[in-house]
Amino acid sequence: MAGGWLTTHVLDTARGCPAAGLRITLYRIAAQGRRRIAAAVTNADGRTDSPILPKGRLAAGRYELVFHAGDYLRGAGLSGAEPAFLDEVPVRFGIADPAAHYHVPLLLAPFGYSTYRGS
């Protein structure tokens, strides 16, 4: 392990604002399956109050952030007919440099999403 850390945030692109109150679960992916290592809820700014994986806990390997978008969209009155088009949004990504800061944001709307490696 090294000194890197992982952050995320969610923007509600349908309403043009941060997605407050959205649950996020972080998993580590290994040959034997995935293991939950963290969970958080976004604040009023659409971010977690602290890094979802703090400095010193990041290791090289595969991870999965699961954004519980369906719950958020239903709560915001944006899900449309049930079942909602989006429910859990999994984003799998790799960490090559455990000393770096990785930022994985989600841009969310009721019928689509986008993600990227941010700064």
Side-chain angles (χ1 to χ4, degrees):
M1 301 226 184
W5 70 103
L6 174 65
T7 57
T8 186
H9 77 273
V10 185
L11 298 175
D12 179 335
T13 59
R15 297 190 303 169
C17 64
L22 192 144
R23 288 183 310 115
I24 303 167
T25 309
L26 175 65
Y27 296 90
R28 177 80 192 262
I29 307 298
Q32 60 272 25
R34 69 181 193 168
R35 181 175 53 91
R36 180 182 154 164
I37 58 173
V41 176
T42 57
N43 59 25
D45 194 35
R47 299 175 185 275
T48 56
D49 288 333
S50 59
I52 195 152
L53 207 54
K55 286 186 179 184
R57 293 211 29 226
L58 193 63
R62 294 243 164 245
Y63 292 83
E64 180 179 70
L65 279 167
V66 176
F67 297 90
H68 299 271
D71 293 342
Y72 169 80
L73 293 167
R74 277 188 284 283
L78 297 172
S79 65
E82 289 294 331
F85 181 69
L86 292 177
D87 190 18
E88 291 183 352
V89 174
V91 177
R92 285 202 175 181
F93 58 97
I95 299 294
D97 180 1
H101 172 213
Y102 283 78
H103 183 67
V104 182
L106 184 75
L107 306 177
L108 178 64
F111 298 100
Y113 63 91
S114 178
T115 189
Y116 55 94
R117 180 174 177 193
S119 58

